[in-house]
Amino acid sequence: MTVYLDMIFLLNCLTDAAALYVTGRLSGLPLERKRVLAASLLGGTYGALCALPGWGAAASLLPQAAAAAGLVRLAFGRREFFLRRLLLFFILSCAMAGALVAGGRLLREQGGLAALASLDWRVFFLAGGACFVILSVVFRGGARHGAAGQLCRCTLTRQGRAASVTALLDTGSTLTDGLSGAPVITVHWAALEPLWTPEEQAVLSRLEAAGASRCLERLGPGFRLLPYQAVGVRSGLLLCFRAEEASMDGQRLGPVTVALSPTPVSDGGGYAALWGGETGKEVQHHAA
């Protein structure tokens, strides 16, 4: 039985890690490796327990839903749209599990139960890869708005720390820096958690309630206010800072002004940033 438990533990670790990774990428959330690793190990342990004699009830729907909620909470923390991310993770997990079960049945038909213990890893990677591609296309397509919308990976650096988020390249986003005239990246402040000190995190957590001006009074140097106009907002202020380095899908943009949105910029949580500028050498020229 030890061999089977080892295999079940390892497969559950890998599938949970893959599902959490895709959930984070499609939700535009920064991925913390330690948290995702801890959640994956916990998921593998839960999967192994479900396979033990007398623990069959743990594999029923309600315990599985509770376990999935715990894994998502551990991997991403307490954030907005938790239920949507939980649903996405659950769908991903079910899709990958179904693909593995189908592959396992094919193996059993060909070689009996012994074949399950020596699972062909090509089945796992092909099934997981196919689910990744299909669900990425479906959910990324649903996250876009407008024919020109395109999602990419945005990395921002500040004071030696870096954070990566999913950004929507939106030609309708015309926010610019009044000091330089260069385009501004608008990001939900919570998606840039790796950039903040504990003190900054505490202040920014009240950004929506307290407003940009009051938060600026409690923050250190490096932050300022950015005037903006939007539909329904004749004159508003956004808290902003200057990222030392920015990149879009690995293409360097140089220093860029980052406006901090107090609320998520995507209704569905499919992206966490908006960028209306270009992504080539022209951006480096403007941002320099």
Side-chain angles (χ1 to χ4, degrees):
M1 189 66 180
T2 302
V3 175
Y4 290 106
L5 282 179
D6 290 346
M7 179 63 67
I8 292 171
F9 172 79
L10 183 57
L11 285 176
N12 276 276
C13 283
L14 291 174
T15 52
D16 287 336
L20 289 169
Y21 172 79
V22 178
T23 299
R25 288 297 302 270
L26 298 182
S27 299
L29 293 176
L31 295 172
E32 297 184 31
R33 295 181 180 179
K34 291 182 180 180
R35 296 179 70 102
V36 173
L37 177 60
S40 302
L41 292 174
L42 183 61
T45 303
Y46 172 76
L49 286 176
C50 291
L52 290 175
W55 285 76
S60 58
L61 180 60
L62 288 180
Q64 282 196 4
L71 296 186
V72 174
R73 175 68 174 82
L74 177 58
F76 304 115
R78 187 176 181 179
R79 299 175 182 271
E80 293 83 357
F81 302 113
F82 174 80
L83 291 179
R84 294 184 184 182
R85 295 188 180 103
L86 174 60
L87 178 61
L88 175 57
F89 172 74
F90 200 75
I91 292 174
L92 285 164
S93 299
C94 291
M96 296 186 71
L100 288 173
V101 169
R105 287 181 177 177
L106 290 176
L107 289 174
R108 287 198 299 271
E109 291 176 0
Q110 295 178 1
L113 289 176
L116 187 60
S118 57
L119 179 64
D120 188 345
W121 288 100
R122 290 176 298 179
V123 174
F124 172 79
F125 288 113
L126 287 175
C131 291
F132 177 90
V133 172
I134 294 173
L135 291 169
S136 294
V137 171
V138 171
F139 281 91
R140 282 183 182 273
R144 297 174 184 173
H145 63 80
Q150 178 184 348
L151 295 176
C152 64
R153 201 64 180 165
C154 173
T155 301
L156 300 171
T157 302
R158 173 179 180 261
Q159 298 180 354
R161 297 184 292 270
S164 294
V165 297
T166 300
L168 176 70
L169 304 182
D170 184 9
T171 55
S173 178
T174 59
L175 184 62
T176 58
D177 190 339
L179 298 179
S180 64
V184 172
I185 298 176
T186 304
V187 189
H188 182 212
W189 74 269
L192 299 178
E193 183 176 346
L195 300 184
W196 316 130
T197 64
E199 295 75 16
E200 291 169 344
Q201 177 79 17
V203 174
L204 291 172
S205 65
R206 294 188 51 79
L207 181 58
E208 183 177 4
S213 298
R214 289 189 178 181
C215 287
L216 180 64
E217 296 174 357
R218 300 179 57 189
L219 292 169
F223 292 89
R224 61 184 174 90
L225 296 177
L226 179 69
Y228 78 99
Q229 292 181 343
V231 178
V233 181
R234 295 186 60 184
S235 179
L237 294 172
L238 288 173
L239 197 63
C240 71
F241 70 95
R242 187 74 165 171
E244 300 158 2
E245 181 63 53
S247 65
M248 293 286 177
D249 280 344
Q251 195 168 37
R252 298 179 61 184
L253 309 182
V256 173
T257 300
V258 181
L260 300 177
S261 171
T263 57
V265 298
S266 165
D267 293 336
Y271 50 89
L274 292 173
W275 174 242
E278 300 168 330
T279 56
K281 295 181 179 180
E282 296 82 0
V283 173
Q284 297 183 18
H285 174 73
H286 291 306

